[in-house]
Amino acid sequence: MLLLCLGTVGSVAKAAYAPTDGIRLFASAGLRFDDNVLLLGPGQSVPLGYGDKGRGDWIRSAGMGWHAETRHSRQTWRIDGQFNRNQYSDYRNFNYSSWQHDLGWDWAVGEQWSGLLNLSDRNDRVDAGYAPGVAQDEVRDRTLRVRALWAPNAWLGLDGESGLTRERHSAQTNYDDDLRSATFGASWSTPRGSVFGVHVEQRRVNPVADPAAGAGSDAYRLRYLRFDLVWPLSAKSQLSGRAGRVGASVAGEAAVSRGIGALAWRWLASGKVAISLGIERDFDDPGRSRTPTIHRNRYLRLSDTISEKTSMNVEWRDEKRQYDATPIGCERTRMLRVSLVFRPDRAVEITPYVSRAVRSSQSDVDSYVDNQLGATVRLYF
């Protein structure tokens, strides 16, 4: 029915849509095949409770979204939203809805003061790389962010930011928590585009009690000291990075301190090809683990504008998590995704894609291979 509606209003959208419109809407439909819905490891069979449905399934999705923006003098107000309904052919109890809504105000007072106020609400299925065996876990994040920047001149900026996030899981409720953060820092810019910054940040994680366990975990703090650098190597190449240290302290336990950092290189090889390489090392998201966990990530991204109406995107990621205090030890997930984007008209976007995820762990239960093949159609109006 959604595809029929897309075709019906296509001619209207073609005449009405423009990327610069203050109000933009879109509708989408998608179909994909997942050959390992339950994220089963090699040699594992589908549990008896799921019947004889097999490992794979077809998933249909339908959605809509919107963007509205208005500006008055130096003030800009934005509303963004997206809603998707995902339905499985066989595993119908896995059906779920995902959404994200953002309400923002970019403010400015005079020439020196600016900032933002942003409220977001997001709900989605937990990434396959995080929760094998928990195929129905959804996570909802509600976040409030406030930021202010004072730039007394063209080369110096002082900024501060505060945020509050409430994270709730539908299945892994032991990972529910409230996160409060505060950041202060300064940055210096040069006439050639280089930027150097130093920031300090503190996060306080308050885990929510798990009713099934009868108690919650102790709160803990993360303290960051970070140095940032953006360095344009040439007109087509840019190097960026950060380095610092983070400390984690939990009541009654010895503090843990680790070095963190990241390095990224972006190269515009031509007017049509862009390549990005990067490595990262940091403490993992608090909603992922209750133990000190080092997260390492390497990635390669390539985009190629094949023609005026066709482009290709390739992304490869190699993520590794090192658990210091549990018998799990190390987990590694390698992912590859290739997609093509066809734009036969400015208001129509067709995206076929294929992806593969390979996860390895000391436990066979947490190791799996997952392949997906699908396509989405999006109509802007």
Side-chain angles (χ1 to χ4, degrees):
M1 292 180 64
L2 177 60
L3 289 174
L4 179 61
C5 293
L6 292 178
T8 303
V9 302
S11 59
V12 177
K14 179 178 180 180
Y17 170 75
T20 57
D21 290 343
I23 298 178
R24 302 190 294 274
L25 307 174
F26 71 83
S28 64
L31 178 67
R32 75 178 186 273
F33 179 75
D34 187 334
D35 73 348
N36 191 4
V37 174
L38 300 177
L39 305 178
L40 300 173
Q44 288 184 280
S45 58
V46 177
L48 295 177
Y50 293 102
D52 57 353
K53 298 175 182 177
R55 285 172 168 252
D57 200 358
W58 289 93
I59 302 100
R60 304 180 304 276
S61 64
M64 63 180 299
W66 53 89
H67 169 82
E69 181 176 313
T70 182
R71 176 174 295 183
H72 180 71
S73 183
R74 298 178 182 271
Q75 317 306 312
T76 301
W77 290 270
R78 296 171 288 100
I79 299 177
D80 293 275
Q82 183 173 343
F83 177 85
N84 287 281
R85 179 61 181 170
N86 302 275
Q87 296 181 303
Y88 290 70
S89 296
D90 294 329
Y91 290 91
R92 297 182 180 180
N93 57 319
F94 285 4
N95 294 349
Y96 71 99
S97 297
S98 59
W99 70 79
Q100 64 179 57
H101 308 293
D102 290 274
L103 178 63
W105 171 30
D106 297 327
W107 60 267
V109 178
E111 298 287 344
Q112 298 181 352
W113 288 93
S114 62
L116 67 84
L117 175 63
N118 190 83
L119 179 64
S120 66
D121 185 0
R122 306 177 186 224
N123 186 85
D124 205 348
R125 182 68 52 86
V126 172
D127 191 314
Y130 295 151
V134 191
Q136 298 184 73
D137 189 23
E138 298 176 32
V139 58
R140 183 178 182 183
D141 291 317
R142 284 164 286 185
T143 302
L144 174 65
R145 292 174 54 221
V146 181
R147 184 173 185 266
L149 170 66
W150 178 50
N153 50 54
W155 55 271
L156 176 63
L158 303 176
D159 62 274
E161 181 175 326
S162 181
L164 172 62
T165 298
R166 294 170 58 88
E167 181 172 310
R168 299 294 182 267
H169 291 251
S170 62
Q172 294 181 305
T173 56
N174 57 307
Y175 286 159
D176 292 350
D177 59 51
D178 295 330
L179 170 64
R180 292 178 173 84
S181 64
T183 306
F184 300 95
S187 60
W188 295 265
S189 304
T190 68
R192 294 188 177 183
S194 298
V195 180
F196 174 77
V198 56
H199 289 81
V200 293
E201 178 181 0
Q202 177 168 284
R203 303 180 188 178
R204 180 176 176 84
V205 183
N206 294 306
V208 179
D210 182 2
S217 304
D218 291 333
Y220 64 95
R221 296 178 185 272
L222 297 174
R223 296 180 176 87
Y224 289 78
L225 173 62
R226 187 178 71 245
F227 298 91
D228 306 282
L229 173 65
V230 177
W231 181 20
L233 301 175
S234 68
K236 295 184 177 182
S237 180
Q238 177 177 286
L239 189 68
S240 60
R242 67 175 183 270
R245 199 153 189 89
V246 57
S249 57
V250 183
E253 299 182 12
V256 177
S257 180
R258 294 287 188 273
I260 60 172
L263 186 64
W265 175 60
R266 179 174 173 79
W267 177 39
L268 300 176
S270 67
K272 296 182 177 182
V273 179
I275 300 174
S276 297
L277 290 169
I279 56 175
E280 301 171 332
R281 171 190 164 97
D282 203 345
F283 264 152
D284 206 358
D285 188 315
R288 299 301 181 85
S289 173
R290 286 290 177 253
T291 61
T293 306
I294 292 297
H295 176 213
R296 298 179 178 90
N297 180 32
R298 297 182 295 169
Y299 64 85
L300 166 65
R301 301 187 183 104
L302 181 148
S303 62
D304 184 2
T305 304
I306 300 174
S307 69
E308 182 180 348
K309 296 184 177 182
T310 306
S311 61
M312 179 181 68
N313 298 291
V314 179
E315 180 177 6
W316 171 83
R317 284 191 291 134
D318 184 355
E319 298 188 8
K320 189 176 182 180
R321 287 176 169 81
Q322 182 68 48
Y323 298 87
D324 292 346
T326 69
I328 296 177
C330 176
E331 297 173 344
R332 184 179 185 184
T333 305
R334 285 160 289 179
M335 304 184 70
L336 175 65
R337 188 179 192 273
V338 181
S339 63
L340 292 175
V341 181
F342 301 103
R343 297 181 180 87
D345 181 83
R346 65 182 182 182
V348 180
E349 185 176 280
I350 304 171
T351 308
Y353 62 89
V354 60
S355 68
R356 179 179 176 85
V358 179
R359 179 185 174 101
S360 57
S361 173
Q362 293 181 351
S363 171
D364 292 338
V365 177
D366 292 337
S367 301
Y368 65 85
V369 177
D370 183 39
N371 299 297
Q372 296 188 23
L373 173 68
T376 60
V377 179
R378 179 174 288 191
L379 175 66
Y380 297 88
F381 55 96

